Amino acid sequence: ERFYFDRPFYYTLTSLRSIFSLYGMEITDVKLIKPHGGSIRVYIKKKSKNIKVTKNVEVMLKKERELISENFIKIKFKNFKNEINNLIKNLKKFKEQNITIKGYGAPARLATITNFANIDKNLIKYVIDDSELKANRYSPGKHIPIVPYNPDEDLSHIILFAYEYFHSIKNKIEQKNIEYYKPVPFEKLN
């Protein structure tokens, strides 16, 4: 069995510092990393007098104080909703043109996007995934079929949910003249 973990919490460095402090720990360094569209890697140690904290920590804390506010968060969610509406609009346009859309890659963002946007197999016929654990199953929530790659299938238009693997997916697929799209923001990747 597989369980779906929806990452229900996202933390700022400020909030992490407060949480770790409760348990006698201190953040000693932080780095921006690329996974999931941008994340942070936090280094922590047990509090002591000799602990060294890098400048990265204070720089990021200062940036958070300057940028993150209730209004900032509302704007981010509004922008996300606008991007989702743009995705839905384009999927419906493809359907009106009798273009069958398939997805590629079933990471957690597939379920996050399709559930938030109420996208089901009427707009995305199925999603291809190379993992044997996911193939021949369904996406959480909207139950879009997840299938293994079939080189004989016509894949003229693909929404890449695993867009960070665009080049390796494109190289794997034998069929040429495919239009690839990133879901959010909706954009053509060719």
Side-chain angles (χ1 to χ4, degrees):
E1 288 297 316
R2 282 186 50 84
F3 293 92
Y4 174 68
F5 174 60
D6 191 18
R7 291 183 194 87
F9 302 103
Y10 290 88
Y11 295 96
T12 61
L13 189 63
T14 304
S15 62
L16 288 172
R17 185 173 68 167
S18 296
I19 292 168
F20 290 132
S21 179
L22 292 171
Y23 296 96
M25 302 177 90
E26 188 169 349
I27 296 173
T28 59
D29 197 8
V30 62
K31 293 188 170 128
L32 293 173
I33 57 174
K34 291 184 181 183
H36 303 292
S39 300
I40 59 174
R41 178 175 290 141
V42 177
Y43 300 84
I44 58 172
K45 288 185 179 178
K46 188 173 180 173
K47 277 188 183 179
S48 72
K49 292 179 183 179
N50 301 331
I51 205 160
K52 301 250 190 271
V53 178
T54 68
K55 262 190 164 176
N56 297 342
V57 175
E58 191 49 49
V59 168
M60 188 171 288
L61 289 170
K62 182 179 181 204
K63 189 175 181 180
E64 285 181 3
R65 285 190 298 272
E66 292 170 356
L67 291 178
I68 299 175
S69 65
E70 184 177 338
N71 192 47
F72 171 84
I73 293 168
K74 285 179 182 178
I75 289 169
K76 283 290 191 186
F77 276 107
K78 182 179 179 188
N79 289 344
F80 180 71
K81 185 170 184 168
N82 290 339
E83 291 296 340
I84 289 294
N85 288 338
N86 189 38
L87 171 63
I88 294 167
K89 179 184 83 173
N90 280 285
L91 290 174
K92 287 180 177 179
K93 186 170 79 175
F94 286 135
K95 185 171 180 144
E96 289 167 5
Q97 297 170 355
N98 291 321
I99 296 171
T100 302
I101 298 297
K102 286 104 178 186
Y104 205 113
R109 80 174 62 98
L110 167 68
T112 301
I113 292 169
T114 56
N115 285 310
F116 184 84
N118 200 26
I119 294 170
D120 59 18
K121 63 185 172 192
N122 291 314
L123 292 176
I124 297 176
K125 184 176 181 180
Y126 58 78
V127 175
I128 300 163
D129 197 279
D130 297 325
S131 169
E132 291 178 15
L133 293 172
K134 296 178 184 179
N136 301 311
R137 306 236 182 212
Y138 296 88
S139 69
K142 291 300 167 189
H143 307 290
I144 299 170
I146 301 172
V147 301
Y149 171 63
N150 176 355
D152 298 326
E153 182 72 28
D154 176 30
L155 301 171
S156 65
H157 292 72
I158 296 176
I159 302 289
L160 278 176
F161 290 97
Y163 48 80
E164 62 272 22
Y165 300 109
F166 171 55
H167 294 293
S168 61
I169 291 169
K170 189 174 180 181
N171 290 336
K172 175 185 178 166
I173 296 178
E174 296 169 13
Q175 179 183 334
K176 303 302 175 211
N177 301 323
I178 297 174
E179 291 188 16
Y180 295 92
Y181 298 89
K182 182 178 176 183
V184 176
F186 183 82
E187 60 187 25
K188 193 170 182 179
L189 294 173
N190 293 10

